[in-house]
Amino acid sequence: LDLGGVDYLSSAGLLAIESVSARLARTGGTLVLCDIPEPVRVTLDLAGLDPGLRIAPSREDARQMLRRP
């Protein structure tokens, strides 16, 4: 999920990311967030989601993470 154009993440957005990540994990999938602006990264960190999410610096790095077993 490329967050490069996001400058604000509401509680609804946090819940959506957490929900999608959990659903994908239950079915063997993976959510990778990439290109996260600093204010959004701080929000993820303050919400306690940062450690449980896979995060890549760029879209290409996210693709690489998804290709690895």
Side-chain angles (χ1 to χ4, degrees):
L1 178 61
D2 188 337
L3 297 175
V6 176
D7 57 4
Y8 171 77
L9 193 58
S10 69
S11 58
L14 289 168
L15 183 60
I17 289 172
E18 185 177 34
S19 176
V20 168
S21 181
R23 279 190 217 165
L24 286 169
R26 284 194 302 271
T27 60
T30 302
L31 176 66
V32 179
L33 305 180
C34 67
D35 197 20
I36 304 172
E38 188 59 26
V40 175
R41 185 176 287 278
V42 168
T43 301
L44 291 168
D45 185 43
L46 290 173
L49 293 181
D50 197 10
L53 296 171
R54 294 186 70 187
I55 296 175
S58 69
R59 194 180 284 195
E60 184 55 37
D61 290 321
R63 286 186 186 117
Q64 293 287 334
M65 289 175 79
L66 291 170
R67 288 186 189 121
R68 291 185 201 137

